[in-house]
Amino acid sequence: MKFEQIIERIIAINHAWKLARDDFGKGSPITISLREQKSSWQANLLRLYPEASFLALATDSNMHDEALYSVRLIKPVKTSIGLKSDAEHIPKRLAESLFTNQELNKYFNKEV
């Protein structure tokens, strides 16, 4: 799958996750499934395109109920919702379960 297609998929799943969270609550099975699916696609993006993406601490984590990382893009990408310089947030705990410590260090230590 192409880089831009993965980003579009992450955006779509993120929107669906937010709708499910609002309609069914953050603990509902569909909400949890969508959040985990989004995180899995974000992991795929970082692994398949490490030259075009990286992780950064989310600067707005204090507005959420858990610590978040931001999946950042080296160059902004035109998407169906406009120009994006990130591929949404990923909960820190999910990132730590999806990546090894070596991968986390690799994705955080980017020269941008």
Side-chain angles (χ1 to χ4, degrees):
M1 187 175 278
K2 292 181 181 178
F3 182 71
E4 293 82 4
Q5 291 172 309
I6 295 173
I7 293 169
E8 288 286 357
R9 181 158 296 180
I10 291 167
I11 292 167
I13 294 170
N14 191 55
H15 286 213
W17 165 73
K18 287 179 179 180
L19 288 171
R21 182 192 60 194
D22 293 346
D23 290 349
F24 306 114
K26 68 180 182 178
S28 79
I30 187 68
T31 304
I32 293 167
S33 176
L34 286 165
R35 183 185 61 214
E36 290 175 355
Q37 187 178 106
K38 177 184 65 106
S39 298
S40 178
W41 278 104
Q42 290 167 312
N44 285 335
L45 180 77
L46 287 159
R47 286 182 177 129
L48 293 171
Y49 298 97
E51 74 288 348
S53 59
F54 64 99
L55 284 174
L57 291 174
T59 56
D60 60 348
S61 276
N62 60 342
M63 297 171 47
H64 301 276
D65 56 352
E66 66 180 310
L68 301 173
Y69 295 144
S70 179
V71 179
R72 308 294 300 172
L73 308 175
I74 301 291
K75 294 180 183 176
V77 173
K78 185 177 179 183
T79 71
S80 59
I81 63 167
L83 205 58
K84 293 279 289 180
S85 58
D86 67 81
E88 309 299 346
H89 292 99
I90 183 171
K92 179 182 176 186
R93 65 179 171 71
L94 287 178
E96 290 174 345
S97 72
L98 289 168
F99 299 115
T100 65
N101 285 337
Q102 184 179 11
E103 285 178 310
L104 285 172
N105 288 333
K106 174 183 167 183
Y107 299 138
F108 268 108
N109 294 322
K110 287 282 189 175
E111 294 295 323
V112 181

